[in-house]
Amino acid sequence: MRYFFDSIRTRAYWRYALFSGEAIGKFFAVMGILYLCVDLADAFNIYKKDQYSFYGLIILVALALLYVLSTRRPLSRISYKIPQKDFAVEVVIGDLFKIPGEVIISSSSTFDTDMSSRLIVASSLQGQLATNYFNGQTTEIDRQIEISLEREQFIINEKRPGKTKEYPIGTVARVSTHSKNFYLVAMSHMEENKNARSDLKMIDQALEKLWMNLAAKAEVGDIVMPLIGTGRGRVPYPRKKMIERIAQSFADAASERAFSNKLIIVVRPEDASKFSLNLFQVRDYLGQSLHA
């Protein structure tokens, strides 16, 4: 509900709701239908156009605008099916942890989990995972990460704060609890100032390895992931383009090997509001740019 009210206060929504080509087309189509109704009413002496023409025009315009707005309400979910393929991409404004599926969470290359030293902030997705599913205790998360990574190559990097085992970008560790699987994927490096750093090259590399890992190990089902890189990864890249980048990477991988029928990209409501993310525009953008 908050996202709805935040959306209708943005210029992006009103620009798309009333001044896009589709909205203008709908407005004139409805005006034409309403004017036809007025003609019929005039022919049967129910309403006289020449007597109330000015007020009638205002009413027609108001009704047409109300209809257009009723069909252009802010969306919280859109879906785009890849042409001639059996998989789709969905973009959802909501809570990552409330959506069923195999959940992807970005991590640093050292898979740090410590919240007491603020390496991991409680409000981050990793922090929410620990808080919501492990009662704020990271011992069990660390244990499962170690088991999952026991065959993965690593180097010892004493310069990194926190853990010193550093894994290649794209390495995936699976953590399971409450009959739910979480895949922590290395997409950034933890710097000495305790800030995570990533870039587009690292994200592309991480996505490519992620799909390979899921194809080999994950249960075939919906994949749920956040809008990676744009938050604590500090990648200066527009949200709309990051959605397209993730979707295209998924489409390329799923075209080579079937491992999931749906990718669900989740955007936090506060981010959608802050950056005026309009799902009408996102859906059109995916349709124009995505290829399989």
Side-chain angles (χ1 to χ4, degrees):
M1 186 61 69
R2 177 184 174 185
Y3 168 70
F4 177 88
F5 288 111
D6 286 344
S7 294
I8 63 176
R9 291 200 297 264
T10 64
R11 290 183 179 180
Y13 166 71
W14 289 103
R15 184 170 60 249
Y16 200 81
L18 290 181
F19 301 108
S20 64
E22 184 180 351
I24 293 172
K26 282 187 176 182
F27 172 79
F28 284 108
V30 174
M31 283 289 291
I33 294 172
L34 291 175
Y35 195 78
L36 177 61
C37 293
V38 170
D39 273 341
L40 291 173
D42 184 64
F44 289 98
N45 294 319
I46 299 174
Y47 172 82
K48 292 298 181 182
K49 291 192 297 183
D50 55 350
Q51 187 175 359
Y52 304 106
S53 58
F54 176 74
Y55 298 106
L57 179 62
I58 293 176
I59 293 173
L60 291 184
V61 170
L63 289 174
L65 286 174
L66 286 174
Y67 174 80
V68 172
L69 288 175
S70 71
T71 64
R72 311 288 282 182
R73 292 174 294 177
L75 299 175
S76 61
R77 179 187 298 261
I78 60 104
S79 182
Y80 178 77
K81 186 181 183 301
I82 310 298
Q84 301 178 346
K85 298 294 179 179
D86 292 330
F87 49 86
V89 175
E90 210 168 83
V91 183
V92 177
I93 308 296
D95 186 340
L96 181 85
F97 296 103
K98 293 182 178 180
I99 301 174
E102 306 288 287
V103 180
I104 311 300
I105 296 179
S106 58
S107 179
S108 67
S109 56
T110 46
F111 290 92
D112 285 292
T113 60
D114 186 16
M115 292 190 293
S116 61
S117 63
R118 295 194 62 79
L119 276 177
I120 301 300
V121 180
S123 60
S124 69
L125 291 178
Q126 276 190 260
Q128 292 179 58
L129 170 63
T131 302
N132 297 337
Y133 291 89
F134 294 91
N135 297 318
Q137 304 299 315
T138 59
T139 304
E140 175 60 18
I141 298 177
D142 286 331
R143 186 188 72 82
Q144 292 194 38
I145 288 176
E146 284 293 325
I147 293 174
S148 185
L149 297 178
E150 60 184 1
R151 296 184 180 180
E152 300 290 342
Q153 295 182 345
F154 63 88
I155 62 172
I156 299 297
N157 190 338
E158 299 288 351
K159 294 182 179 180
R160 302 289 185 204
K163 296 179 181 179
T164 57
K165 287 184 180 179
E166 184 172 356
Y167 295 84
I169 293 297
T171 302
V172 178
R174 187 169 84 167
V175 175
S176 300
T177 182
H178 297 78
S179 300
K180 197 173 182 68
N181 296 322
F182 299 91
Y183 296 85
L184 305 180
V185 53
M187 291 190 178
S188 63
H189 290 308
M190 188 70 73
E191 298 184 319
E192 293 183 29
N193 59 6
K194 298 183 180 181
N195 287 330
R197 177 188 60 80
S198 189
D199 56 38
L200 289 177
K201 183 178 179 181
M202 293 165 68
I203 287 175
D204 289 341
Q205 182 180 353
L207 287 173
E208 182 179 356
K209 291 186 177 181
L210 170 64
W211 309 135
M212 292 173 59
N213 186 284
L214 292 179
K217 301 178 182 179
E219 301 174 8
V220 177
D222 294 349
I223 297 173
V224 184
M225 70 184 304
L227 196 51
I228 57 174
T230 55
R232 300 183 187 280
R234 295 172 173 80
V235 178
Y237 200 62
R239 264 72 179 168
K240 182 175 68 174
K241 290 187 177 182
M242 186 61 79
I243 290 172
E244 189 273 334
R245 199 178 193 98
I246 296 170
Q248 185 64 65
S249 176
F250 169 76
D252 291 341
S255 295
E256 296 176 1
R257 182 176 180 180
F259 59 92
S260 176
N261 294 323
K262 184 186 291 185
L263 170 67
I264 303 173
I265 302 173
V266 184
V267 184
R268 298 190 311 163
E270 49 267 43
D271 285 348
S273 175
K274 181 178 179 180
F275 298 100
S276 300
L277 187 67
N278 189 308
L279 292 192
F280 283 111
Q281 292 176 326
V282 170
R283 183 172 57 190
D284 290 348
Y285 187 71
L286 288 178
Q288 294 167 4
S289 62
L290 199 60
H291 62 274

